[in-house]
Amino acid sequence: MVTACDELTRRSLLQMCATCSRNRSPHHFKSESKSQCTQCFKAWIPRGIRYQGDELKTVHGKTPIRLLGIHHNMWLDAKSQRRKVIDSAIEVAAYLYKNDNLRIDQRLKVISMCLPSLFSFSAPLIDWPESDLKLLTAVWIRAYKNAWNLGKSTANCLFTFPRDKGG
């Protein structure tokens, strides 16, 4: 049985890789480079590519890049795109919470202009795990509650469909 002390000790021993930014245990850093994990150290990174005399920027395969409006890495991991959508939705919800000088119809207009467009562009193009969809749903519900000046204790069922109806 793992205790809370064991878990905290295990987490404190983790080291972050400078290349892929993953927290790994110390045995992953036995290579010559102590700042890179073994996987990143052995990964092929192009160096010295020039185009018309200009040095081109090289990017590690695990680094998220923006291609056709979607942030993902070369392994098609779109975690950064999902995080960007969720963070932007949180920003809209926080804006509605802090600014009480807008009328309710103006607040609803902010939601209708911001939230669907954040999600609709990348939603069909990347995989969304159930946990991220639940988090995004909670943020959207919070944004609507903020728009209607409702408290946190207001039931969520006012804003969602029942489970048997697809909610």
Side-chain angles (χ1 to χ4, degrees):
M1 181 173 175
V2 178
T3 65
C5 289
D6 294 336
E7 182 67 27
L8 288 173
T9 304
R10 198 175 314 142
R11 283 187 186 170
S12 68
L13 294 176
L14 295 179
Q15 180 181 350
M16 182 186 280
C17 174
T19 305
C20 65
S21 300
R22 292 173 70 187
N23 288 321
R24 295 179 173 253
S25 56
H27 73 275
H28 287 283
F29 294 89
K30 291 187 177 178
S31 63
E32 298 152 12
S33 172
K34 293 295 181 186
S35 62
Q36 281 185 322
C37 64
T38 308
Q39 182 181 4
C40 292
F41 183 74
K42 292 183 178 181
W44 178 76
I45 300 175
R47 290 184 176 88
I49 298 175
R50 299 179 88 61
Y51 178 74
Q52 294 181 351
D54 294 330
E55 184 87 22
L56 297 179
K57 180 182 175 187
T58 57
V59 178
H60 186 271
K62 298 256 182 194
T63 305
I65 59 169
R66 184 171 175 240
L67 179 64
L68 300 176
I70 303 292
H71 294 82
H72 59 277
N73 63 22
M74 293 176 75
W75 279 267
L76 297 179
D77 178 21
K79 187 183 342 178
S80 59
Q81 178 67 27
R82 292 191 302 266
R83 190 73 246 165
K84 184 178 180 330
V85 169
I86 291 169
D87 288 345
S88 298
I90 290 171
E91 190 177 334
V92 170
Y95 173 80
L96 293 171
Y97 180 75
K98 290 178 183 174
N99 293 307
D100 55 354
N101 56 349
L102 297 175
R103 295 187 320 262
I104 290 176
D105 63 318
Q106 292 171 326
R107 291 168 174 241
L108 293 173
K109 190 69 168 178
V110 168
I111 288 177
S112 69
M113 292 176 68
C114 295
L115 291 184
S117 62
L118 288 172
F119 181 66
S120 64
F121 178 72
S122 62
L125 302 175
I126 63 174
D127 291 330
W128 280 84
E130 187 71 26
S131 60
D132 285 346
L133 285 175
K134 284 183 179 181
L135 177 61
L136 190 62
T137 301
V139 171
W140 277 36
I141 290 172
R142 186 71 239 154
Y144 275 103
K145 286 181 180 181
N146 291 344
W148 285 100
N149 291 326
L150 300 174
K152 292 180 180 179
S153 62
T154 305
N156 291 347
C157 65
L158 299 173
F159 301 99
T160 58
F161 287 115
R163 290 233 180 257
D164 59 341
K165 304 283 190 216

